[in-house]
Amino acid sequence: MTSRRVVLALALSGLGMASCDPAAGLDNKKNEQPGPVTEQPGAGWEIVWQDEFDGPSGTLPSKERWGAEVGGDGWGNGQYEFNTARAENGALDGEGHLAITARRERYGNNDYTSARLSTKNRYSKAYGRIEARIQLPTGRGIWPAFWMLGADVDSVGWPGCGEIDIMEHRGQIPSVIRSSLHGPGYSGGANVGREHAVSGAPLAADFHVYAVEWEPERLRFILDDTVYFEATPKNLPAGKKWVYDHPHFIILNVAVGGSFVGPPDSNTVFPQTMKVDYVRVYERAAQ
């Protein structure tokens, strides 16, 4: 697609579920200072990993980059969907996007299906800029997310591995996203995070860039050109450990229901699709 190629050319020439035990809307009031406008990729950044999701409609995402996490046990959040490895729930749309689609259907003893795709055991990264250009789904009980888990989750468990929620969204609140950190002693509803509201059209009306810029002891969360939340060890509750200085892997998913969003209702339209135009990882260019 011409528009996608222009975006990539600009990026290169100079112009980041959600929770295992999710946020319950707790905002850290001491983080309410406005953030500066960030540098854009290309101004001191270089791409080190990416997926542009080009390919025929119905093609599964690259097995070299993504694995489907399959199951329907609630994922620790009381989610309603069974996440599958089927193209019906996670596949390329033939127009340069990954489509993660939540459907109302009986499957695996659940009343809904969706997909949860991750780079676990394929790609993990510490530091840099991790971003995705996404058009969100919408509706009560719809919970899309773009997030990261510590690559050592299988050995140290959650939340000791660290969780970085770059973006999660309640489908019934069309202009608000949340970014959060979950670690030992500050997870679930006691996470360290921030909600951010936008003006104008609902987020689902168009694609937006969701990103985190990550350096030692600092995470900066961004929607399009706006930094709305910055976290350092000083933001953690007293005596709690910063667990974000080691590699994390990337996750994209759409949950249905759960403690963060509540259940869908009779007005929730299915299917609901999150379209991902790209996922890109950058490092600071050598000076």
Side-chain angles (χ1 to χ4, degrees):
M1 289 177 62
T2 300
S3 61
R4 288 165 48 73
R5 301 305 176 208
V6 169
V7 169
L8 180 56
L10 290 171
L12 292 172
S13 64
L15 278 166
M17 191 117 304
S19 183
C20 296
D21 183 9
L26 180 68
D27 279 337
N28 217 350
K29 298 301 183 183
K30 62 185 177 183
N31 290 327
E32 289 187 346
Q33 75 280 6
V37 174
T38 183
E39 289 182 65
Q40 293 306 293
W45 296 100
E46 57 186 10
I47 289 180
V48 295
W49 187 92
Q50 66 194 112
D51 198 332
E52 304 294 319
F53 302 116
D54 292 320
S57 177
T59 303
L60 294 174
S62 165
K63 291 182 179 180
E64 289 72 34
R65 296 185 180 94
W66 302 97
E69 300 186 356
V70 175
D73 62 357
W75 300 95
N77 304 308
Q79 295 165 212
Y80 293 8
E81 86 284 353
F82 192 103
N83 290 315
T84 81
R86 306 180 305 165
E88 291 92 331
N89 297 114
L92 309 185
D93 69 356
E95 299 180 353
H97 311 122
L98 170 65
I100 298 180
T101 302
R103 301 180 180 275
R104 181 186 282 126
E105 58 179 333
R106 189 69 179 169
Y107 189 99
N109 296 318
N110 296 56
D111 290 328
Y112 303 89
T113 62
S114 190
R116 169 170 162 149
L117 303 175
S118 89
T119 66
K120 184 180 181 183
N121 299 325
R122 292 164 171 83
Y123 181 78
S124 60
K125 186 77 172 72
Y127 312 136
R129 177 181 168 108
I130 299 91
E131 71 174 30
R133 185 172 183 262
I134 298 172
Q135 185 172 24
L136 295 174
T138 191
R140 181 168 296 278
I142 303 299
W143 180 7
F146 168 42
W147 53 297
M148 305 180 76
L149 274 179
D152 58 351
V153 60
D154 290 340
S155 60
V156 307
W158 183 91
C161 65
E163 176 179 329
I164 302 169
D165 295 339
I166 301 171
M167 178 279 299
E168 53 186 335
H169 175 65
R170 296 179 180 92
Q172 63 264 43
I173 308 178
S175 297
V176 175
I177 59 168
R178 182 173 180 85
S179 298
S180 308
L181 300 180
H182 300 256
Y186 52 98
S187 61
N191 70 76
V192 173
R194 169 78 54 79
E195 293 192 347
H196 175 66
V198 299
S199 59
L203 290 164
D206 204 349
F207 285 89
H208 295 273
V209 175
Y210 303 92
V212 64
E213 291 181 1
W214 180 10
E215 58 195 68
E217 298 195 341
R218 187 175 304 273
L219 288 151
R220 189 177 299 112
F221 296 87
I222 302 155
L223 171 57
D224 294 327
D225 295 336
T226 301
V227 177
Y228 56 87
F229 176 43
E230 185 170 287
T232 73
K234 294 180 180 178
N235 299 115
L236 301 185
K240 302 306 179 185
K241 185 179 180 182
W242 179 265
V243 288
Y244 313 100
D245 288 323
H246 66 282
H248 284 51
F249 59 87
I250 301 166
I251 306 172
L252 294 162
N253 71 292
V254 178
V256 179
S259 52
F260 184 65
V261 293
D265 63 16
S266 60
N267 295 317
T268 306
V269 175
F270 287 90
Q272 283 292 328
T273 299
M274 178 168 77
K275 293 184 178 181
V276 186
D277 187 30
Y278 61 74
V279 178
R280 298 176 185 160
V281 179
Y282 302 80
E283 288 182 351
R284 292 284 185 185
Q287 300 297 317

